[in-house]
Amino acid sequence: MWRSLLCLFPIVLAAMPMAASADCDLRPALVADLTARLGQTRRGLGITQEQTVLELFAAEDGGWTLIATTPSGIACPVASGRDWTAAALTLPARG
C-alpha cells in the first residue's frame, strides 16, 4: 500500500504551485520556524527523481511536518500532523 501512495506523491508535488503558496519560504527560514515555533527537528529525508528534497521534521510531542524543497531552495510544507512515532523497520532486500 505504501508503495502505491509513494508512487502518487510526485504527481501531487507536480500539481502543487510551490512558489505561489503563502507558506513557502527559503528552506533555512522555514526550518528555523519549525525548530523555534514547534520544536521540530529533521528525522528523515529523501530525494525525488525531479531532485526535490523531501524532509520529515518531528517534535518530542509527536507533532510532525513534511516539507518539499525545490532545487532553487524554495521549501513548502506538504503535510503535517500529530502522533508521530519513530519506527525501526527492517526493509526487505532489493531484488
Side-chain angles (χ1 to χ4, degrees), residues 7-66:
C7 290
L8 293 175
F9 197 71
I11 296 167
V12 172
L13 282 180
M16 197 172 79
M18 295 182 94
S21 174
D23 294 332
C24 296
D25 204 342
L26 293 175
R27 184 190 173 281
L30 185 60
V31 170
D33 184 56
L34 290 174
T35 302
R37 193 169 50 86
L38 301 174
Q40 295 182 358
T41 57
R42 188 170 70 184
R43 306 298 173 102
L45 66 100
I47 302 174
T48 70
Q49 288 181 331
E50 295 78 22
Q51 302 305 307
T52 298
V53 177
L54 300 176
E55 296 174 280
L56 178 77
F57 290 80
E60 294 301 319
D61 68 2
W64 61 269
T65 305
L66 180 67

